[in-house]
């Protein structure tokens, strides 16, 4: 099985797949804090087109001269991990014939320096809150999430240096 996504820059306008004649030209002007290094400001806005037909507006994080109202790569990675964990959890719950009423995860990630001194996502915290009927013990819930983590394709693909913390809660 393989997957594909197309990353396009500058982003298409008017719903088209490719930039049109009327696309906004690249912004090329010296940065306000340019120290003579030749750094130029260009738009970080782009679009992500998935094989499923979905299109997502992307950019860099605002701290890296991106747009606040677009998804950045760090958020994309975090959402991929959180969704993968949830889907693994749903599969396990279904196979065990348990009743899940609600699932919500407010996942967080932190940027820092890895062992090589490079900027990287160094810590991810998944905090899934579930509502089960009947409620499970904290030990049972922890085991289900450990199993979901073990079977999550995205978690298995991430560097071992990333600390992935799972702190499940059960809504009662």
């Amino acid at each position: 099985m393989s997957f594909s996504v197309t990353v396009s820059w500058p982003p298409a306008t008017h719903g088209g797949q490719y930039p049109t004649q009327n696309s906004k030209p690249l912004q090329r002007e010296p940065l306000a804090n340019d120290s003579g290094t030749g750094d130029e400001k260009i738009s970080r806005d782009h679009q992500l087109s998935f094989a499923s037909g979905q299109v997502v507006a992307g950019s860099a994080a605002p701290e890296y001269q991106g747009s606040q109202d677009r998804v950045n790569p760090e958020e994309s990675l975090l959402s991929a991990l959180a969704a993968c964990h949830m889907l693994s959890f749903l599969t396990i719950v279904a196979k065990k014939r348990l009743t899940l009423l609600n699932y919500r995860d407010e996942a967080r990630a932190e940027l820092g320096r890895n062992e090589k001194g490079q900027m990287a996502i160094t810590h991810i915290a998944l905090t899934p809150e579930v509502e089960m009927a009947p409620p499970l013990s904290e030990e049972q819930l922890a085991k289900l999430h450990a199993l979901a983590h073990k079977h999550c394709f995205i978690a298995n693909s991430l560097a071992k240096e990333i600390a992935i913390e799972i702190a499940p809660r059960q809504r009662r």
Side-chain angles (χ1 to χ4, degrees):
M1 178 183 293
S2 65
F3 306 93
S4 66
V5 62
T6 301
V7 179
S8 304
W9 181 90
T13 58
H14 310 298
Q17 187 174 0
Y18 298 102
T20 65
Q21 296 272 346
N22 297 329
S23 292
K24 180 178 171 184
L26 303 182
Q27 297 173 345
R28 294 191 183 273
E29 45 190 71
L31 290 172
N33 60 357
D34 186 4
S35 59
T37 61
D39 289 339
E40 293 181 301
K41 181 176 182 175
I42 60 171
S43 172
R44 274 39 175 201
D45 293 350
H46 57 274
Q47 97 180 10
L48 305 163
S49 302
F50 296 86
S52 63
Q54 302 299 311
V55 177
V56 175
S59 191
E63 297 82 0
Y64 297 98
Q65 302 168 359
S67 297
Q68 176 73 36
D69 62 342
R70 291 171 171 256
V71 176
N72 66 56
E74 297 81 10
E75 290 172 321
S76 295
L77 177 65
L78 180 59
S79 68
L81 176 63
C84 184
H85 182 89
M86 180 192 68
L87 293 170
S88 297
F89 186 85
L90 294 177
T91 299
I92 292 163
V93 165
K95 285 184 177 182
K96 293 188 175 283
R97 297 177 187 219
L98 299 170
T99 303
L100 176 66
L101 302 173
N102 288 296
Y103 184 108
R104 179 182 172 92
D105 187 353
E106 293 186 22
R108 294 178 324 280
E110 294 177 21
L111 281 176
R113 299 242 176 232
N114 65 15
E115 293 175 355
K116 297 176 184 175
Q118 301 165 318
M119 287 301 294
I121 293 176
T122 57
H123 185 263
I124 295 174
L126 302 180
T127 56
E129 181 177 79
V130 300
E131 184 178 358
M132 306 287 298
L136 302 177
S137 71
E138 295 303 316
E139 182 180 332
Q140 290 171 314
L141 186 61
K143 285 182 180 179
L144 288 176
H145 280 288
L147 194 55
H149 182 66
K150 177 182 175 184
H151 291 287
C152 172
F153 305 153
I154 304 298
N156 292 335
S157 302
L158 295 174
K160 297 300 177 195
E161 294 83 35
I162 299 176
I164 301 174
E165 167 191 341
I166 302 170
R169 300 178 311 246
Q170 190 163 197
R171 188 184 312 167
R172 296 189 188 251

